[in-house]
Amino acid sequence: KESSAASDVYKRQALEIPDSGIDIKGKRIVLVDDVLATGGTLYGAKLLLEAAGAEVAGNVVVLEVNGLQGRQRLEGTPLVVLNQMGAAD
């Protein structure tokens, strides 16, 4: 079995919206994350928010790690990246 630390991390994490949370149906939301590597966190958040009736209007990340295909998982949604670095850096 092949795996990477990044993929293993996402398999063990869960994203949740509490039942008593803010009503997000019909709201446009921009997701903000510190690091974009494989795209698992932003993609998972997008799926969860869309299932709750929100529209993800865009993504903003402070740092993108190039070479891990995270950007490809977010295709179709605008992405703003403040800094980039290579996967080997």
Side-chain angles (χ1 to χ4, degrees):
K1 173 181 166 186
E2 293 183 10
S3 66
S4 70
S7 65
D8 287 346
V9 168
Y10 296 120
K11 289 179 185 175
R12 291 190 300 259
Q13 292 183 351
L15 299 171
E16 298 178 348
I17 297 175
D19 290 335
S20 61
I22 300 169
D23 182 17
I24 60 173
K25 289 181 183 160
K27 304 280 185 188
R28 292 179 46 117
I29 295 173
V30 173
L31 296 174
V32 179
D33 202 357
D34 56 350
V35 177
L36 171 60
T38 65
T41 301
L42 288 172
Y43 183 73
K46 179 180 189 287
L47 293 178
L48 180 65
L49 292 165
E50 288 176 345
E55 174 191 350
V56 175
N59 300 287
V60 177
V61 296
V62 175
L63 177 66
E64 177 182 15
V65 181
N66 295 323
L68 299 178
Q69 285 74 47
R71 181 179 288 263
Q72 285 77 4
R73 289 184 91 174
L74 306 176
E75 285 182 352
T77 306
L79 173 64
V80 174
V81 176
L82 303 181
N83 294 293
Q84 294 181 328
M85 67 178 253
D89 290 347

